[in-house]
Amino acid sequence: MVDVIRIDAVLETGATVGFTAWPVAEPAGDGILALSGRMSPAEVGTAMAVIFGYGDIPTTPTGELHQLLDRHLADAETLLAPGGLRVRDTATGARILPGCCCGLENWREWRDVPHEKGIWLGHDPHTEVEHVAGAVRLRQGAGPPSLPSSQHEVEIRLDDLPDLLTTVQRRLQGFLGLVRPWASEISPRAADRLVAVLDESFEINGSLAFG
């Protein structure tokens, strides 16, 4: 049977409008960018613009990005990014988006779903999490008025969740693999440091350790 549930790590890209420090991609209509190893250099640039912008980290001069990043980390200790995990049912077209104030840095909290622990999915729109007979049902509040309510409800079988999250991790690793060549073009001295900080801040590598 073909899997119909897809989970992607995504960033909200609205804040990149007018960004000029390096090339960025045209924003998608929904303002969401999925992270993977198939992104174009401009899409990687968009992701980095979001991350730098959300942390109020200066992006110029680009040749000093490694120093600008470390100055930020001296105070904040980590990077944050608006986004999280987007869940889609490809059969029905239903989707659940990260709510306001949800962050990509919390994506591993989804490992707690089978244990019925609370996870932060943001607000506006708020997402209800309901456990039902070997599955978890996600029901999101107000969305675009043009979409029927059925397009804001997705059910995930708990047995499928480890494989789905492992796929999320592989796509994040693919994105991380694109950062070094991107940074080598924009700010060569920042490349290794940027990869290391992204990996640590968003916990991209390392075992998911499903319990």
Side-chain angles (χ1 to χ4, degrees):
M1 184 176 71
V2 177
D3 292 334
V4 297
I5 301 300
R6 178 174 174 125
I7 304 181
D8 292 291
V10 300
L11 294 176
E12 299 173 8
T13 63
T16 61
V17 175
F19 184 85
T20 59
W22 53 72
V24 296
E26 287 293 325
D30 60 0
I32 296 293
L33 175 66
L35 304 179
S36 76
R38 297 186 175 185
M39 298 167 68
S40 69
E43 288 173 328
V44 177
T46 295
M48 300 316 305
V50 169
I51 292 168
F52 272 71
Y54 196 72
D56 289 326
I57 308 170
T59 55
T60 55
T62 55
E64 302 300 324
L65 285 186
H66 61 298
Q67 293 182 354
L68 298 171
L69 179 62
D70 281 342
R71 287 172 192 164
H72 169 78
L73 293 172
D75 295 325
E77 297 184 353
T78 190
L79 297 178
L80 306 174
L85 299 190
R86 175 185 65 190
V87 183
R88 291 184 291 160
D89 186 323
T90 60
T92 66
R95 65 177 187 171
I96 304 294
L97 297 175
C100 179
C101 299
C102 189
L104 180 63
E105 63 277 1
N106 298 321
W107 74 273
R108 282 177 176 253
E109 289 184 2
W110 280 72
R111 293 176 302 171
D112 293 333
V113 168
H115 308 294
E116 300 190 28
K117 296 180 181 178
I119 60 171
W120 172 241
L121 300 179
H123 54 81
D124 191 26
H126 171 70
T127 301
E128 297 178 6
V129 180
E130 178 185 5
H131 287 264
V132 291
V136 60
R137 183 176 297 148
L138 307 175
R139 187 180 298 109
Q140 198 157 74
S146 60
L147 295 179
S149 59
S150 62
Q151 290 195 301
H152 304 290
E153 183 175 311
V154 174
E155 189 168 295
I156 307 171
R157 293 189 305 172
L158 295 180
D159 287 345
D160 293 341
L161 195 54
D163 284 345
L164 289 167
L165 293 180
T166 298
T167 299
V168 169
Q169 183 181 38
R170 284 201 301 266
R171 293 192 183 114
L172 282 169
Q173 289 169 335
F175 159 68
L176 192 63
L178 296 177
V179 171
R180 181 175 280 105
W182 173 85
S184 294
E185 293 291 330
I186 300 297
S187 180
R189 287 187 292 173
D192 290 342
R193 180 63 174 143
L194 191 53
V195 169
V197 171
L198 289 172
D199 187 14
E200 180 178 357
S201 296
F202 300 110
E203 296 185 85
I204 293 175
N205 288 307
S207 172
L208 286 176
F210 295 101

